[in-house]
Amino acid sequence: MSVRFDLPRVLFCAVAMAALLASGCGTLPRLPAVPHERLGEAVIPGIPDARIHSDFAETDFARMGQEAFEREKAFLAASGHRGPLPPVSFLAVSGGGDDGAFGAGLLVGWTAAGDRPEFKAVTGISTGALIAPFAFLGPDYDHVLRHVYTNVSRKDIFKPRNLLTIPFKDAAADTTPLWSLLSLYVDQKMLDAVAAEYRKGRLLLIGTTDLDSRKGVIWNMGQIAASGAPQALDLFRKIMLASASIPGAFPPVLMDVEVNGKAHQEMHVDGGTVAQVFIYPPSFKLGEMARDTQAQRERTVYIIRNARLDPQWTEVQRRTLSIIGRAISSLIQNQGRGDLVGIYYLSQRDGLDFNLAYIPPTFNEPHLEDFDMVYMRKLFNVGYEMAVAGYPWENAPPVLNLSSGEGSGRKNDRAP
């Protein structure tokens, strides 16, 4: 649940829907969900290696990582590279709704600063899933990030539904405008570019949540792009949409899958219901794999948290919806902070140089509505200007409050 939305409206609609359903109202049709005991057998027709289910993350992610390393070695050899493996950088972009303007501005400003690396792997969730493919492809797509996060308003993202019809729908809003926006920028040319980078050993990963199983799913977007499957472009767009689809607010995305040739559908929603940001599953031990495969190298991870990390005070009205809304926003903020701590300790375990960016507590622009263009432009400029000046990446999440010596405090300059 990473996008700001009119929470009282959503909750009212949810209560009304529950009441009507309890009185016998029908539900929208869908194919059968994948039974729990068959989750490991469900595949995307024509693209069997399209994703990794969290239940099978350790072995499947290790295989995916090893295959990427083999492609990278082949590319380096063909390019005439000799000697030790070159350093690599990873990028993880979090959820945050229109606060994604911060991450978009930071990336564009990083390009202007002249030392933005090419990332070995990019991950994204929610608004981060909308940023990640363009960040993966590099500065040639900065114009897309700038446009989407400075010239797009709520009418370009969703259309609110009539309150009277919501109990018969699957969400309080219609995301057809967002689908149209994705269709404009995520085209075959972009898909081919992602596929070309995938063949060099780079990875683009997007997280969604399978609502039936309440499990996270990591989609291998490069594999999808390179598959040559006729549905690859449509699936690519659907995954990006699903990762940003807040349950109850935005419609879920139904993914067609097969289990031993039998058709099923999975219901996918915002990846932020499982995690606000990720680099790889904790069960995947990158450090051990690197030692076992003689793939030791310098590794740096950059995390962009599209949110403030300080607890923002407000006087809560003594009303049910106000209390619930405040509690949910607190839950999301603290989940995001916990995700950062988890990534930090993964980095310590596996030998990654940890670098964190987030919205500074000094940014206090009024936020009048979802996808407020004035708000987004000012936040984009904050990220841009901080990056141009040399972003002060932090070596640890502030919540840890570590003493000096174990990767704490701000760096004085940009990480290598």
Side-chain angles (χ1 to χ4, degrees), residues 19-66:
L20 285 175
L21 291 177
S23 64
C25 179
T27 60
L28 295 174
R30 60 168 290 189
L31 293 180
V34 178
H36 175 72
E37 64 275 11
R38 309 296 294 276
L39 288 176
E41 304 171 44
V43 297
I44 301 295
I47 319 177
D49 296 326
R51 78 278 177 80
I52 293 172
H53 202 281
S54 61
D55 280 352
F56 312 97
E58 182 175 3
T59 55
D60 289 350
F61 206 94
R63 176 177 51 79
M64 182 178 67
Q66 183 61 38

Side-chain angles (χ1 to χ4, degrees), residues 365-402:
E365 179 67 21
H367 189 267
L368 303 180
E369 65 176 10
D370 310 306
F371 302 97
D372 176 351
M373 196 180 297
V374 172
Y375 173 91
M376 292 171 67
R377 285 177 176 175
K378 291 186 176 180
L379 184 55
F380 180 96
N381 287 336
V382 166
Y384 180 90
E385 291 167 3
M386 292 183 76
V388 168
Y391 192 87
W393 296 91
E394 294 199 7
N395 300 120
V399 67
L400 292 180
N401 194 26
L402 298 175

